[in-house]
Amino acid sequence: MAITGAGTGSLRPVRRPRLPGRSALLRTALVAALLGLAAAVLQTPAGCPPPPGGSGSPGPGPVPSIGGPPSALPLPDGAVGVPVRLAEPAALAVVRPGARVDLLAVPADGRAAEADLLASRALVLDVVGAGAADGSSALYLALRPEQAQRAVGLPEGSRFAIVVRS
């Protein structure tokens, strides 16, 4: 027995697929143009110097300094760079790139007598914002990986201090 009729589920398409209209094509073209423009703007920010050597390959190089001529030192092999905000930012006025400092951690409860030595003779890579009053000043240090893990793993509220060696 053959079943025929319109209500029995045919495999024939009901409508032909439509091509996108002019407005959809225009919207797609505008989105593509804006994305391309955004990528071009973000690729090379204004005021940024070209990478050293002219190659686009990332590699160890100077740490960028903010607010002055580039005076940062390159990161030594086997070390990691760690930014440190000091409890007393005035100490940054006497530190220069190339100096050696001892990094101390003061517990969150403020007992300075129990300061813990995190790194001895750490190399100062850069001093950023030494005169800034807004708290954006920082010291970039080259630390061994285990020292860096101890420094960033401290509880919230811990403060850092330095002792200048040379």
Side-chain angles (χ1 to χ4, degrees), residues 2-166:
I3 300 176
T4 59
T8 60
S10 170
L11 295 178
R12 287 183 287 154
V14 177
R15 291 191 302 190
R16 281 186 26 198
R18 294 184 348 177
L19 295 175
R22 293 179 80 190
S23 62
L25 290 175
L26 181 62
R27 280 193 307 265
T28 303
L30 285 174
V31 168
L34 288 174
L35 286 174
L37 179 63
V41 168
L42 292 176
Q43 182 67 27
T44 312
C48 288
S55 69
S57 64
V63 177
S65 66
I66 299 171
S71 60
L73 298 176
L75 190 62
D77 290 336
V80 293
V82 178
V84 176
R85 291 187 184 212
L86 299 179
E88 185 55 51
L92 295 175
V94 297
V95 181
R96 301 283 178 259
R100 295 284 179 167
V101 297
D102 291 345
L103 180 63
L104 305 169
V106 180
D109 60 9
R111 292 180 286 176
E114 297 179 13
D116 186 26
L117 179 65
L118 295 177
S120 179
R121 299 192 49 81
L123 176 65
V124 176
L125 297 173
D126 200 5
V127 179
V128 177
D134 62 354
S136 64
S137 57
L139 189 65
Y140 287 97
L141 300 175
L143 301 177
R144 292 189 315 265
E146 64 273 5
Q147 292 172 332
Q149 285 179 347
R150 286 185 60 205
V152 298
L154 289 173
E156 186 175 339
S158 296
R159 300 178 309 156
F160 294 101
I162 58 169
V163 176
V164 181
R165 288 286 191 119
S166 60

